[in-house]
Amino acid sequence: MEMSNEKDKIFNALNIFRTKLKQPKKDKDNPFFRSTYVDLSGVTKAIDEALKDTGLAFFQNPVKSEIPNQVGIKTIITHSSGQFIELDPFVAPVGGKHDAQAFGSAKTYASRYSLATAFGVTDSVDDDGNSASANSQPSRQGNYTNRPRQTRTSTTTKVPTAQELQEAKTTIAKKEAELDKLSNLTAGTTTSRVIERYGYDVDTAGAAMIKKVNSFLNTEIKKQTQIQTQKGETK
């Protein structure tokens, strides 16, 4: 993070902004995770309304990531006095086939999270860190520890080849596209949700991650297929 040498005016303006900010309603449904969230336009609208008469403004710049197939977004908050706050980039991995739609989806995802973080907007459901602590065990007091789960490994377990892993990733991309169509969602939406929930990176995902994501997609495709079938029967 970088800031102007003088910060008194922008800090005072941010204090005023916080008193005016009304948290947006989470009106977008995420059928896969059975939750709701605020999209980028909802986050932007809430911020724009609270920025009035504060002298504050913002803009976002895409930044090049040193890691291939990742999109970075940097948010800069400015004040009419010339003071500014430049936040560190928020970087999101690009899923799917790494085409224009996948990059666009990752860019929107990164823009929303960077902007919401910069201005303190709650844009998604708080899961108490469960998604980020997928490998943690709850203690008796209900807190999460960093103790990894112990798993038994079999000496007869077949290690997938690089080709088999790549074929599995291609299958996942097809299932993500299928789920988008079944759910009538914009192409790439499922990919973004899988990344958000599991931290799935198509370039580095191993057999365990692929199995987990594949199982999730199979379950959701089955659910959506049943829903579409029921809709057809009721017509």
Side-chain angles (χ1 to χ4, degrees):
M1 178 185 294
E2 296 184 10
M3 301 182 185
S4 55
N5 292 330
E6 300 296 329
K7 297 174 280 289
D8 57 325
K9 292 182 174 61
I10 193 169
F11 281 0
N12 182 62
L14 284 171
N15 285 333
I16 296 173
F17 167 85
R18 291 298 303 173
T19 64
K20 298 172 63 176
L21 176 65
K22 295 181 179 180
Q23 295 294 344
K25 181 180 179 180
K26 299 177 180 63
D27 57 358
K28 300 298 179 182
D29 291 321
N30 186 338
F32 312 138
F33 306 147
R34 294 174 289 279
S35 62
T36 55
Y37 68 100
V38 185
D39 61 11
L40 178 59
S41 62
V43 172
T44 303
K45 181 178 179 181
I47 293 172
D48 284 342
E49 290 177 351
L51 285 179
K52 295 177 181 178
D53 302 321
T54 64
L56 294 171
F58 72 88
F59 61 94
Q60 293 184 298
N61 283 337
V63 295
K64 183 178 180 180
S65 174
E66 296 180 357
I67 303 175
N69 298 314
Q70 289 198 350
V71 173
I73 294 293
K74 180 183 291 185
T75 298
I76 300 95
I77 304 174
T78 64
H79 187 258
S80 56
S81 64
Q83 298 177 9
F84 70 90
I85 299 174
E86 182 177 310
L87 281 78
D88 294 332
F90 183 94
V91 180
V94 179
K97 299 180 181 179
H98 296 166
D99 54 13
Q101 287 184 330
F103 272 90
S105 179
K107 176 181 176 296
T108 299
Y109 176 85
S111 296
R112 175 166 67 92
Y113 268 78
S114 178
L115 194 59
T117 300
F119 286 97
V121 177
T122 55
D123 61 324
S124 57
V125 175
D126 181 3
D127 68 352
D128 196 29
N130 289 344
S131 295
S133 305
N135 294 323
S136 298
Q137 294 280 0
S139 67
R140 293 181 181 178
Q141 292 77 21
N143 295 323
Y144 288 97
T145 67
N146 292 322
R147 183 180 302 170
R149 293 178 180 175
Q150 295 181 350
T151 57
R152 295 181 179 178
T153 58
S154 172
T155 56
T156 60
T157 301
K158 181 179 180 295
V159 178
T161 65
Q163 181 178 351
E164 288 172 336
L165 286 175
Q166 186 56 50
E167 290 174 352
K169 292 174 182 179
T170 300
T171 299
I172 284 177
K174 291 179 179 178
K175 289 181 180 180
E176 289 172 337
E178 180 182 355
L179 199 47
D180 280 339
K181 291 181 180 179
L182 283 172
S183 306
N184 196 28
L185 296 172
T186 304
T189 300
T190 300
T191 298
S192 294
R193 301 307 172 203
V194 168
I195 293 171
E196 180 177 359
R197 179 164 182 166
Y198 295 107
Y200 174 70
D201 186 341
V202 70
D203 291 320
T204 61
M209 174 64 74
I210 289 174
K211 182 178 180 180
K212 185 186 299 183
V213 172
N214 193 54
S215 176
F216 166 75
L217 291 172
N218 286 339
T219 300
E220 295 304 324
I221 287 174
K222 183 178 180 180
K223 288 180 182 178
Q224 291 301 318
T225 300
Q226 291 174 343
I227 290 173
Q228 296 304 322
T229 300
Q230 292 171 357
K231 287 182 179 179
E233 292 175 349
T234 57
K235 288 183 179 179

